[in-house]
Amino acid sequence: MCKKTNSSTDGTSFQGVTIKASVQDLINVLGEPTIQDNTGEDKVNFEWDMETDEGDVFTIYDWKEYRKLDLDEQIDFHIGSFSRSISSDAQYEVMRELGNYVE
């Protein structure tokens, strides 16, 4: 299970991997966001700094919504990491926690 990280996520970036969820869904499985400023005035309203089961850091964040988000609205969240494979691993772990992945 992925968990919050105390390690730096500086230098992570979007690798083309997203996850569809609501802010509330993510709060329920990941806890409170590392960053939250749901004003729509910046590129990101919510961000979680996490790490995979293997200890690889990643971030989950909304990107350029430029509006206040309804906490129950389903949107595509970006996953940022150091590689596409880490982002894919993170996607799998988060989807599993959300109950959206069939093994």
Side-chain angles (χ1 to χ4, degrees):
M1 177 173 133
C2 56
K3 63 181 180 178
K4 289 199 179 230
T5 188
N6 292 322
S7 299
S8 174
T9 58
D10 289 349
T12 59
S13 62
F14 182 55
Q15 305 290 326
V17 179
T18 62
I19 188 164
K20 189 167 211 71
S22 71
V23 172
Q24 192 60 57
D25 289 339
L26 293 176
I27 289 172
N28 289 345
V29 299
L30 304 178
E32 289 298 317
T34 307
I35 297 170
Q36 63 181 314
D37 182 25
N38 194 19
T39 63
E41 295 177 6
D42 205 350
K43 292 177 184 176
V44 174
N45 292 332
F46 296 94
E47 178 179 312
W48 287 261
D49 292 350
M50 307 295 295
E51 64 184 63
T52 65
D53 290 340
E54 299 297 317
D56 295 310
V57 297
F58 68 96
T59 59
I60 296 181
Y61 56 96
D62 62 285
W63 183 245
K64 292 188 176 181
E65 292 291 333
Y66 291 123
R67 63 189 171 82
K68 185 175 180 174
L69 298 176
D70 179 319
L71 299 185
D72 293 316
E73 173 185 5
Q74 297 279 312
I75 64 166
D76 287 320
F77 284 87
H78 285 211
I79 299 176
S81 69
F82 293 116
S83 72
R84 185 169 178 93
S85 65
I86 293 171
S87 288
S88 293
D89 290 347
Q91 178 191 48
Y92 171 80
E93 290 182 25
V94 174
M95 288 178 69
R96 185 179 62 206
E97 292 304 312
L98 290 170
N100 294 339
Y101 199 90
V102 178
E103 296 191 54

